[in-house]
Short mmCIF file of all heavy atoms in Angstrom, two decimals:
data_model
loop_
_atom_site.label_atom_id
_atom_site.label_comp_id
_atom_site.label_asym_id
_atom_site.label_seq_id
_atom_site.Cartn_x
_atom_site.Cartn_y
_atom_site.Cartn_z
N MET D 1327 10.30 -8.03 1.31
CA MET D 1327 11.39 -7.03 1.60
C MET D 1327 11.75 -7.06 3.07
O MET D 1327 12.94 -7.24 3.42
CB MET D 1327 10.98 -5.61 1.25
CG MET D 1327 10.83 -5.36 -0.27
SD MET D 1327 12.45 -5.41 -1.15
CE MET D 1327 13.10 -3.77 -0.73
N GLU D 1328 10.77 -6.94 3.93
CA GLU D 1328 10.99 -6.85 5.34
C GLU D 1328 11.43 -8.17 5.93
O GLU D 1328 10.78 -9.19 5.58
CB GLU D 1328 9.75 -6.34 6.03
CG GLU D 1328 9.96 -5.85 7.44
CD GLU D 1328 10.68 -4.50 7.50
OE1 GLU D 1328 10.39 -3.61 6.68
OE2 GLU D 1328 11.58 -4.39 8.32
N ARG D 1329 12.35 -8.20 6.72
CA ARG D 1329 12.76 -9.39 7.45
C ARG D 1329 12.92 -9.07 8.91
O ARG D 1329 13.11 -7.92 9.29
CB ARG D 1329 14.02 -10.03 6.88
CG ARG D 1329 15.23 -9.09 6.94
CD ARG D 1329 16.52 -9.86 6.75
NE ARG D 1329 16.87 -10.59 7.98
CZ ARG D 1329 18.03 -11.18 8.18
NH1 ARG D 1329 18.95 -11.11 7.25
NH2 ARG D 1329 18.30 -11.81 9.30
N ASN D 1330 12.81 -10.09 9.72
CA ASN D 1330 12.98 -9.90 11.16
C ASN D 1330 14.46 -9.99 11.54
O ASN D 1330 15.16 -10.92 11.13
CB ASN D 1330 12.19 -10.93 11.95
CG ASN D 1330 10.72 -10.70 11.84
OD1 ASN D 1330 10.26 -9.54 11.69
ND2 ASN D 1330 9.93 -11.76 11.88
N TRP D 1331 14.89 -9.01 12.22
CA TRP D 1331 16.26 -8.92 12.68
C TRP D 1331 16.33 -9.31 14.15
O TRP D 1331 15.46 -8.93 14.90
CB TRP D 1331 16.83 -7.52 12.48
CG TRP D 1331 16.97 -7.12 11.06
CD1 TRP D 1331 15.96 -6.55 10.28
CD2 TRP D 1331 18.08 -7.24 10.22
NE1 TRP D 1331 16.48 -6.29 9.04
CE2 TRP D 1331 17.77 -6.70 8.93
CE3 TRP D 1331 19.40 -7.69 10.42
CZ2 TRP D 1331 18.68 -6.65 7.93
CZ3 TRP D 1331 20.30 -7.66 9.41
CH2 TRP D 1331 19.96 -7.14 8.12
N LYS D 1332 17.38 -10.02 14.42
CA LYS D 1332 17.55 -10.33 15.86
C LYS D 1332 18.91 -9.81 16.32
O LYS D 1332 19.87 -9.72 15.57
CB LYS D 1332 17.59 -11.88 16.04
CG LYS D 1332 16.19 -12.45 15.97
CD LYS D 1332 16.20 -13.95 16.34
CE LYS D 1332 14.75 -14.48 16.37
NZ LYS D 1332 14.73 -15.92 16.67
N CYS D 1333 18.90 -9.38 17.59
CA CYS D 1333 20.16 -8.91 18.18
C CYS D 1333 21.13 -10.11 18.31
O CYS D 1333 20.74 -11.16 18.82
CB CYS D 1333 19.86 -8.34 19.54
SG CYS D 1333 21.34 -7.76 20.43
N VAL D 1334 22.33 -9.91 17.84
CA VAL D 1334 23.27 -11.02 17.84
C VAL D 1334 23.66 -11.40 19.27
O VAL D 1334 23.92 -12.56 19.53
CB VAL D 1334 24.56 -10.70 17.01
CG1 VAL D 1334 24.24 -10.73 15.56
CG2 VAL D 1334 25.09 -9.32 17.40
N SER D 1335 23.69 -10.47 20.14
CA SER D 1335 24.09 -10.80 21.50
C SER D 1335 22.93 -11.29 22.39
O SER D 1335 23.16 -12.12 23.28
CB SER D 1335 24.79 -9.56 22.16
OG SER D 1335 24.37 -8.38 21.65
N CYS D 1336 21.72 -10.76 22.18
CA CYS D 1336 20.58 -11.18 23.04
C CYS D 1336 19.73 -12.21 22.43
O CYS D 1336 19.02 -12.92 23.10
CB CYS D 1336 19.74 -9.93 23.37
SG CYS D 1336 20.69 -8.55 23.96
N GLY D 1337 19.67 -12.28 21.10
CA GLY D 1337 18.85 -13.32 20.45
C GLY D 1337 17.36 -12.91 20.44
O GLY D 1337 16.49 -13.77 20.18
N VAL D 1338 17.01 -11.66 20.73
CA VAL D 1338 15.62 -11.25 20.73
C VAL D 1338 15.37 -10.41 19.46
O VAL D 1338 16.29 -9.76 18.92
CB VAL D 1338 15.26 -10.42 21.96
CG1 VAL D 1338 15.33 -11.28 23.21
CG2 VAL D 1338 16.13 -9.20 22.13
N GLU D 1339 14.13 -10.40 19.01
CA GLU D 1339 13.79 -9.63 17.81
C GLU D 1339 13.87 -8.13 18.08
O GLU D 1339 13.48 -7.61 19.11
CB GLU D 1339 12.34 -10.00 17.38
CG GLU D 1339 12.34 -11.17 16.41
CD GLU D 1339 11.00 -11.37 15.82
OE1 GLU D 1339 10.20 -10.40 15.77
OE2 GLU D 1339 10.70 -12.51 15.41
N LEU D 1340 14.43 -7.45 17.11
CA LEU D 1340 14.57 -6.02 17.23
C LEU D 1340 13.25 -5.32 17.01
O LEU D 1340 12.45 -5.77 16.20
CB LEU D 1340 15.61 -5.54 16.23
CG LEU D 1340 17.02 -6.15 16.35
CD1 LEU D 1340 17.92 -5.57 15.26
CD2 LEU D 1340 17.61 -5.97 17.70
N GLU D 1341 13.07 -4.19 17.69
CA GLU D 1341 11.81 -3.42 17.54
C GLU D 1341 12.12 -2.28 16.65
O GLU D 1341 13.23 -1.66 16.64
CB GLU D 1341 11.38 -2.88 18.92
CG GLU D 1341 10.92 -3.94 19.90
CD GLU D 1341 10.58 -3.34 21.23
OE1 GLU D 1341 11.05 -2.21 21.51
OE2 GLU D 1341 9.86 -4.01 21.96
N ARG D 1342 11.08 -1.85 15.92
CA ARG D 1342 11.20 -0.68 15.04
C ARG D 1342 10.92 0.52 15.85
O ARG D 1342 9.89 0.72 16.43
CB ARG D 1342 10.20 -0.84 13.90
CG ARG D 1342 10.62 -0.10 12.61
CD ARG D 1342 9.89 -0.64 11.43
NE ARG D 1342 10.62 -1.70 10.78
CZ ARG D 1342 11.69 -1.42 9.95
NH1 ARG D 1342 12.10 -0.20 9.74
NH2 ARG D 1342 12.34 -2.45 9.40
N LYS D 1343 11.87 1.45 15.85
CA LYS D 1343 11.74 2.69 16.68
C LYS D 1343 12.17 3.89 15.81
O LYS D 1343 13.11 3.79 14.98
CB LYS D 1343 12.68 2.64 17.84
CG LYS D 1343 12.37 1.52 18.84
CD LYS D 1343 11.65 2.11 20.06
CE LYS D 1343 11.39 1.02 21.08
NZ LYS D 1343 10.60 1.45 22.15
N LYS D 1344 11.50 4.94 16.06
CA LYS D 1344 11.88 6.22 15.43
C LYS D 1344 13.13 6.71 16.16
O LYS D 1344 13.10 6.82 17.37
CB LYS D 1344 10.75 7.24 15.52
CG LYS D 1344 10.97 8.43 14.68
CD LYS D 1344 10.31 8.20 13.33
CE LYS D 1344 10.25 9.56 12.51
NZ LYS D 1344 9.79 9.32 11.17
N ALA D 1345 14.12 7.01 15.44
CA ALA D 1345 15.36 7.48 16.07
C ALA D 1345 15.91 8.61 15.22
O ALA D 1345 15.69 8.75 14.06
CB ALA D 1345 16.36 6.33 16.19
N VAL D 1346 16.70 9.43 15.91
CA VAL D 1346 17.36 10.56 15.24
C VAL D 1346 18.87 10.33 15.29
O VAL D 1346 19.45 9.94 16.29
CB VAL D 1346 17.02 11.90 15.92
CG1 VAL D 1346 17.75 13.05 15.23
CG2 VAL D 1346 15.51 12.12 15.92
N PHE D 1347 19.45 10.52 14.15
CA PHE D 1347 20.90 10.38 14.15
C PHE D 1347 21.55 11.53 13.34
O PHE D 1347 20.87 12.18 12.54
CB PHE D 1347 21.42 9.02 13.67
CG PHE D 1347 21.01 8.71 12.21
CD1 PHE D 1347 21.87 8.94 11.20
CD2 PHE D 1347 19.73 8.18 11.95
CE1 PHE D 1347 21.55 8.64 9.89
CE2 PHE D 1347 19.37 7.89 10.65
CZ PHE D 1347 20.30 8.12 9.64
N ASP D 1348 22.76 11.77 13.61
CA ASP D 1348 23.44 12.92 12.95
C ASP D 1348 24.50 12.42 11.99
O ASP D 1348 25.14 11.44 12.24
CB ASP D 1348 24.14 13.77 14.01
CG ASP D 1348 23.14 14.44 14.94
OD1 ASP D 1348 22.23 15.02 14.43
OD2 ASP D 1348 23.35 14.36 16.16
N TYR D 1349 24.56 13.09 10.91
CA TYR D 1349 25.63 12.80 9.96
C TYR D 1349 26.04 14.08 9.29
O TYR D 1349 25.24 14.80 8.75
CB TYR D 1349 25.09 11.77 8.90
CG TYR D 1349 26.11 11.43 7.84
CD1 TYR D 1349 27.19 10.58 8.18
CD2 TYR D 1349 26.01 11.96 6.57
CE1 TYR D 1349 28.15 10.23 7.25
CE2 TYR D 1349 26.98 11.59 5.60
CZ TYR D 1349 28.02 10.77 5.91
OH TYR D 1349 28.97 10.42 5.00
N MET D 1350 27.30 14.39 9.39
CA MET D 1350 27.91 15.54 8.75
C MET D 1350 27.13 16.81 9.17
O MET D 1350 26.79 17.66 8.34
CB MET D 1350 27.93 15.38 7.27
CG MET D 1350 28.93 14.31 6.90
SD MET D 1350 29.05 14.06 5.10
CE MET D 1350 29.93 15.57 4.62
N GLY D 1351 26.75 16.92 10.44
CA GLY D 1351 26.11 18.13 10.96
C GLY D 1351 24.65 18.24 10.66
O GLY D 1351 24.04 19.25 10.98
N ARG D 1352 24.03 17.26 10.05
CA ARG D 1352 22.61 17.28 9.78
C ARG D 1352 21.95 16.13 10.59
O ARG D 1352 22.50 15.09 10.75
CB ARG D 1352 22.36 17.09 8.26
CG ARG D 1352 22.73 18.26 7.48
CD ARG D 1352 22.70 17.88 5.99
NE ARG D 1352 23.22 19.01 5.15
CZ ARG D 1352 22.43 19.97 4.67
NH1 ARG D 1352 21.11 19.95 4.85
NH2 ARG D 1352 22.93 20.91 3.92
N SER D 1353 20.69 16.42 10.97
CA SER D 1353 19.98 15.39 11.72
C SER D 1353 18.94 14.71 10.84
O SER D 1353 18.31 15.34 10.02
CB SER D 1353 19.24 16.04 12.89
OG SER D 1353 20.17 16.57 13.83
N PHE D 1354 18.81 13.44 11.00
CA PHE D 1354 17.84 12.67 10.25
C PHE D 1354 17.04 11.84 11.24
O PHE D 1354 17.57 11.28 12.18
CB PHE D 1354 18.53 11.69 9.24
CG PHE D 1354 19.36 12.44 8.21
CD1 PHE D 1354 20.65 12.74 8.45
CD2 PHE D 1354 18.72 12.87 7.05
CE1 PHE D 1354 21.38 13.42 7.51
CE2 PHE D 1354 19.46 13.55 6.13
CZ PHE D 1354 20.80 13.83 6.34
N SER D 1355 15.76 11.78 10.99
CA SER D 1355 14.91 10.82 11.81
C SER D 1355 14.50 9.75 10.91
O SER D 1355 14.15 9.93 9.76
CB SER D 1355 13.73 11.56 12.39
OG SER D 1355 12.86 12.01 11.39
N GLU D 1356 14.56 8.56 11.44
CA GLU D 1356 14.39 7.34 10.63
C GLU D 1356 13.84 6.26 11.55
O GLU D 1356 14.13 6.24 12.72
CB GLU D 1356 15.75 6.96 10.05
CG GLU D 1356 15.73 6.04 8.89
CD GLU D 1356 14.98 6.71 7.67
OE1 GLU D 1356 15.44 7.74 7.21
OE2 GLU D 1356 13.99 6.11 7.27
N ASN D 1357 13.12 5.35 10.97
CA ASN D 1357 12.65 4.19 11.72
C ASN D 1357 13.80 3.18 11.73
O ASN D 1357 14.16 2.59 10.66
CB ASN D 1357 11.41 3.55 11.11
CG ASN D 1357 10.19 4.40 11.46
OD1 ASN D 1357 10.00 4.76 12.60
ND2 ASN D 1357 9.41 4.68 10.44
N LEU D 1358 14.40 3.02 12.87
CA LEU D 1358 15.52 2.09 13.02
C LEU D 1358 15.12 0.87 13.81
O LEU D 1358 14.12 0.88 14.49
CB LEU D 1358 16.68 2.83 13.70
CG LEU D 1358 17.15 4.06 13.04
CD1 LEU D 1358 18.30 4.68 13.84
CD2 LEU D 1358 17.66 3.76 11.65
N LEU D 1359 15.90 -0.16 13.74
CA LEU D 1359 15.66 -1.35 14.47
C LEU D 1359 16.50 -1.30 15.74
O LEU D 1359 17.72 -1.13 15.66
CB LEU D 1359 16.02 -2.59 13.62
CG LEU D 1359 15.12 -2.76 12.39
CD1 LEU D 1359 15.75 -3.74 11.42
CD2 LEU D 1359 13.74 -3.26 12.82
N LYS D 1360 15.83 -1.45 16.90
CA LYS D 1360 16.47 -1.36 18.14
C LYS D 1360 16.24 -2.61 19.00
O LYS D 1360 15.09 -3.07 19.06
CB LYS D 1360 15.97 -0.11 18.86
CG LYS D 1360 16.74 0.22 20.13
CD LYS D 1360 16.29 1.52 20.75
CE LYS D 1360 17.09 1.87 21.95
NZ LYS D 1360 16.62 3.07 22.60
N CYS D 1361 17.28 -3.06 19.67
CA CYS D 1361 17.09 -4.21 20.58
C CYS D 1361 16.41 -3.73 21.85
O CYS D 1361 16.90 -2.82 22.52
CB CYS D 1361 18.47 -4.83 20.87
SG CYS D 1361 18.37 -6.14 22.12
N PRO D 1362 15.28 -4.33 22.25
CA PRO D 1362 14.59 -3.90 23.45
C PRO D 1362 15.38 -4.30 24.72
O PRO D 1362 15.04 -3.79 25.79
CB PRO D 1362 13.26 -4.63 23.39
CG PRO D 1362 13.49 -5.83 22.53
CD PRO D 1362 14.60 -5.45 21.56
N LYS D 1363 16.31 -5.15 24.59
CA LYS D 1363 17.00 -5.64 25.77
C LYS D 1363 18.28 -4.89 26.04
O LYS D 1363 18.43 -4.34 27.15
CB LYS D 1363 17.37 -7.16 25.58
CG LYS D 1363 17.69 -7.89 26.82
CD LYS D 1363 17.73 -9.37 26.56
CE LYS D 1363 18.16 -10.14 27.81
NZ LYS D 1363 18.29 -11.57 27.56
N CYS D 1364 19.14 -4.74 25.04
CA CYS D 1364 20.43 -4.05 25.33
C CYS D 1364 20.42 -2.66 24.71
O CYS D 1364 21.37 -1.86 24.96
CB CYS D 1364 21.58 -4.86 24.78
SG CYS D 1364 21.67 -4.98 22.98
N GLY D 1365 19.43 -2.33 23.90
CA GLY D 1365 19.33 -0.96 23.36
C GLY D 1365 20.20 -0.69 22.17
O GLY D 1365 20.28 0.43 21.69
N LYS D 1366 20.82 -1.69 21.67
CA LYS D 1366 21.66 -1.55 20.48
C LYS D 1366 20.80 -1.24 19.28
O LYS D 1366 19.77 -1.84 19.04
CB LYS D 1366 22.49 -2.85 20.24
CG LYS D 1366 23.47 -2.77 19.16
CD LYS D 1366 24.25 -4.07 19.09
CE LYS D 1366 25.15 -4.11 17.84
NZ LYS D 1366 25.85 -5.32 17.75
N VAL D 1367 21.23 -0.32 18.46
CA VAL D 1367 20.49 0.12 17.28
C VAL D 1367 21.18 -0.44 16.04
O VAL D 1367 22.37 -0.37 15.88
CB VAL D 1367 20.39 1.67 17.18
CG1 VAL D 1367 19.83 2.08 15.84
CG2 VAL D 1367 19.57 2.23 18.34
N LEU D 1368 20.35 -1.00 15.18
CA LEU D 1368 20.85 -1.54 13.92
C LEU D 1368 20.55 -0.57 12.79
O LEU D 1368 19.37 -0.23 12.58
CB LEU D 1368 20.22 -2.90 13.62
CG LEU D 1368 20.60 -3.46 12.29
CD1 LEU D 1368 21.97 -4.03 12.22
CD2 LEU D 1368 19.58 -4.54 11.87
N ILE D 1369 21.51 -0.12 12.09
CA ILE D 1369 21.29 0.60 10.90
C ILE D 1369 21.64 -0.29 9.75
O ILE D 1369 22.82 -0.72 9.60
CB ILE D 1369 22.17 1.90 10.85
CG1 ILE D 1369 21.74 2.79 11.96
CG2 ILE D 1369 21.95 2.63 9.51
CD1 ILE D 1369 22.60 4.07 12.13
N THR D 1370 20.66 -0.64 8.97
CA THR D 1370 20.93 -1.61 7.88
C THR D 1370 21.79 -0.92 6.83
O THR D 1370 21.81 0.29 6.67
CB THR D 1370 19.61 -2.05 7.20
OG1 THR D 1370 18.96 -0.94 6.61
CG2 THR D 1370 18.71 -2.70 8.23
N SER D 1371 22.51 -1.71 6.10
CA SER D 1371 23.41 -1.18 5.13
C SER D 1371 22.65 -0.44 4.03
O SER D 1371 23.09 0.59 3.51
CB SER D 1371 24.24 -2.30 4.50
OG SER D 1371 23.43 -3.29 4.00
N ASP D 1372 21.46 -0.91 3.67
CA ASP D 1372 20.60 -0.22 2.72
C ASP D 1372 20.23 1.20 3.16
O ASP D 1372 20.38 2.17 2.47
CB ASP D 1372 19.28 -1.03 2.47
CG ASP D 1372 19.52 -2.23 1.62
OD1 ASP D 1372 20.63 -2.35 1.14
OD2 ASP D 1372 18.54 -2.93 1.38
N LEU D 1373 19.80 1.23 4.39
CA LEU D 1373 19.42 2.58 4.97
C LEU D 1373 20.64 3.49 4.99
O LEU D 1373 20.59 4.65 4.54
CB LEU D 1373 18.91 2.39 6.38
CG LEU D 1373 18.69 3.68 7.16
CD1 LEU D 1373 17.62 4.50 6.55
CD2 LEU D 1373 18.35 3.36 8.63
N ALA D 1374 21.75 2.99 5.52
CA ALA D 1374 22.98 3.80 5.59
C ALA D 1374 23.38 4.30 4.21
O ALA D 1374 23.64 5.46 4.01
CB ALA D 1374 24.11 2.99 6.24
N ALA D 1375 23.42 3.38 3.29
CA ALA D 1375 23.87 3.74 1.92
C ALA D 1375 22.91 4.78 1.29
O ALA D 1375 23.35 5.76 0.73
CB ALA D 1375 23.94 2.49 1.08
N GLY D 1376 21.59 4.56 1.44
CA GLY D 1376 20.67 5.47 0.88
C GLY D 1376 20.70 6.83 1.47
O GLY D 1376 20.73 7.84 0.78
N ARG D 1377 20.72 6.90 2.81
CA ARG D 1377 20.79 8.17 3.51
C ARG D 1377 22.09 8.89 3.26
O ARG D 1377 22.10 10.11 2.98
CB ARG D 1377 20.64 7.92 4.99
CG ARG D 1377 19.22 7.85 5.41
CD ARG D 1377 18.52 9.12 5.16
NE ARG D 1377 17.09 9.08 5.54
CZ ARG D 1377 16.22 10.07 5.35
NH1 ARG D 1377 16.61 11.14 4.69
NH2 ARG D 1377 14.95 9.92 5.74
N MET D 1378 23.16 8.16 3.24
CA MET D 1378 24.46 8.86 3.08
C MET D 1378 24.54 9.42 1.64
O MET D 1378 25.05 10.50 1.44
CB MET D 1378 25.61 7.86 3.31
CG MET D 1378 25.68 7.36 4.73
SD MET D 1378 25.55 8.66 6.01
CE MET D 1378 24.15 8.11 6.98
N ARG D 1379 23.99 8.72 0.70
CA ARG D 1379 23.98 9.22 -0.66
C ARG D 1379 23.16 10.48 -0.75
O ARG D 1379 23.54 11.44 -1.39
CB ARG D 1379 23.50 8.09 -1.63
CG ARG D 1379 23.82 8.43 -3.12
CD ARG D 1379 23.62 7.22 -3.97
NE ARG D 1379 22.27 6.65 -3.82
CZ ARG D 1379 22.04 5.41 -3.42
NH1 ARG D 1379 23.05 4.62 -3.05
NH2 ARG D 1379 20.85 4.94 -3.27
N GLU D 1380 21.98 10.48 -0.10
CA GLU D 1380 21.15 11.70 -0.07
C GLU D 1380 21.89 12.85 0.44
O GLU D 1380 21.82 13.98 -0.08
CB GLU D 1380 19.91 11.43 0.74
CG GLU D 1380 18.77 10.77 -0.03
CD GLU D 1380 17.54 10.59 0.88
OE1 GLU D 1380 17.28 11.47 1.75
OE2 GLU D 1380 16.83 9.60 0.73
N VAL D 1381 22.53 12.66 1.57
CA VAL D 1381 23.26 13.73 2.19
C VAL D 1381 24.35 14.26 1.24
O VAL D 1381 24.52 15.42 1.03
CB VAL D 1381 23.96 13.24 3.50
CG1 VAL D 1381 24.85 14.36 4.08
CG2 VAL D 1381 22.87 12.89 4.51
N GLU D 1382 25.08 13.34 0.66
CA GLU D 1382 26.10 13.76 -0.27
C GLU D 1382 25.58 14.58 -1.44
O GLU D 1382 26.15 15.60 -1.85
CB GLU D 1382 26.90 12.56 -0.76
CG GLU D 1382 27.88 12.06 0.27
CD GLU D 1382 28.26 10.59 0.13
OE1 GLU D 1382 28.02 10.05 -1.00
OE2 GLU D 1382 28.79 10.02 1.04
N GLU D 1383 24.41 14.17 -1.93
CA GLU D 1383 23.79 14.88 -3.06
C GLU D 1383 23.39 16.27 -2.61
O GLU D 1383 23.57 17.26 -3.33
CB GLU D 1383 22.65 14.09 -3.62
CG GLU D 1383 23.09 12.94 -4.47
CD GLU D 1383 21.95 12.02 -4.82
OE1 GLU D 1383 20.81 12.28 -4.41
OE2 GLU D 1383 22.24 10.95 -5.48
N MET D 1384 22.79 16.35 -1.39
CA MET D 1384 22.37 17.65 -0.88
C MET D 1384 23.52 18.62 -0.77
O MET D 1384 23.46 19.78 -1.08
CB MET D 1384 21.71 17.48 0.49
CG MET D 1384 20.21 17.21 0.30
SD MET D 1384 19.43 16.53 1.83
CE MET D 1384 20.41 17.09 3.15
N LEU D 1385 24.66 18.09 -0.27
CA LEU D 1385 25.85 18.93 -0.10
C LEU D 1385 26.42 19.38 -1.42
O LEU D 1385 26.85 20.46 -1.57
CB LEU D 1385 26.88 18.17 0.67
CG LEU D 1385 26.49 17.81 2.12
CD1 LEU D 1385 27.57 16.96 2.81
CD2 LEU D 1385 26.32 19.10 2.97
N GLU D 1386 26.33 18.53 -2.41
CA GLU D 1386 26.89 18.86 -3.74
C GLU D 1386 26.01 19.93 -4.45
O GLU D 1386 26.49 20.71 -5.25
CB GLU D 1386 26.89 17.63 -4.65
CG GLU D 1386 28.14 16.76 -4.26
CD GLU D 1386 28.03 15.44 -5.01
OE1 GLU D 1386 27.20 15.29 -5.89
OE2 GLU D 1386 28.83 14.52 -4.64
N ASP D 1387 24.68 19.94 -4.06
CA ASP D 1387 23.85 20.89 -4.72
C ASP D 1387 24.12 22.38 -4.40
O ASP D 1387 23.69 23.28 -5.10
CB ASP D 1387 22.34 20.65 -4.31
CG ASP D 1387 21.77 19.47 -5.06
OD1 ASP D 1387 22.44 19.07 -6.09
OD2 ASP D 1387 20.72 18.97 -4.68
N LYS D 1388 24.79 22.62 -3.31
CA LYS D 1388 25.03 23.99 -2.90
C LYS D 1388 25.90 24.78 -3.84
O LYS D 1388 26.89 24.29 -4.34
CB LYS D 1388 25.78 24.00 -1.51
CG LYS D 1388 24.78 23.75 -0.39
CD LYS D 1388 25.44 24.07 0.94
CE LYS D 1388 24.47 23.72 2.07
NZ LYS D 1388 25.15 23.82 3.34
ZN1 ZN Y 1366 20.49 -6.94 22.38
#
């Protein structure tokens, strides 16, 4: 499942970091991949899709 991601601009392997991001007024903490050189954070499409779906479901439950 896990693969190594490289920063497209720096060519270095991304590090796994705990990060917090906001979506629709809610905060989520997630292990994200971050470039140690330029600081760019990669949110994989799987993560984005999964998280966004969770948020949408939570909002619908109200
Ligand atoms: Zn980089």
Side-chain angles (χ1 to χ4, degrees):
M1327 288 293 281
E1328 195 73 42
R1329 58 163 286 191
N1330 289 328
W1331 293 86
K1332 283 187 178 179
C1333 178
V1334 286
S1335 27
C1336 311
V1338 295
E1339 271 189 24
L1340 302 180
E1341 294 177 340
R1342 207 161 265 284
K1343 296 257 183 186
K1344 193 92 169 174
V1346 178
F1347 62 97
D1348 295 312
Y1349 179 74
M1350 294 181 69
R1352 289 168 185 269
S1353 296
F1354 297 91
S1355 64
E1356 199 62 59
N1357 285 311
L1358 301 179
L1359 294 165
K1360 187 176 182 183
C1361 174
K1363 199 168 175 184
C1364 69
K1366 186 177 172 181
V1367 171
L1368 173 77
I1369 300 177
T1370 63
S1371 54
D1372 282 356
L1373 170 66
R1377 275 298 181 183
M1378 296 312 122
R1379 193 164 56 239
E1380 274 181 35
V1381 173
E1382 281 158 17
E1383 283 169 4
M1384 273 165 25
L1385 293 175
E1386 281 170 14
D1387 282 346
K1388 279 191 183 172

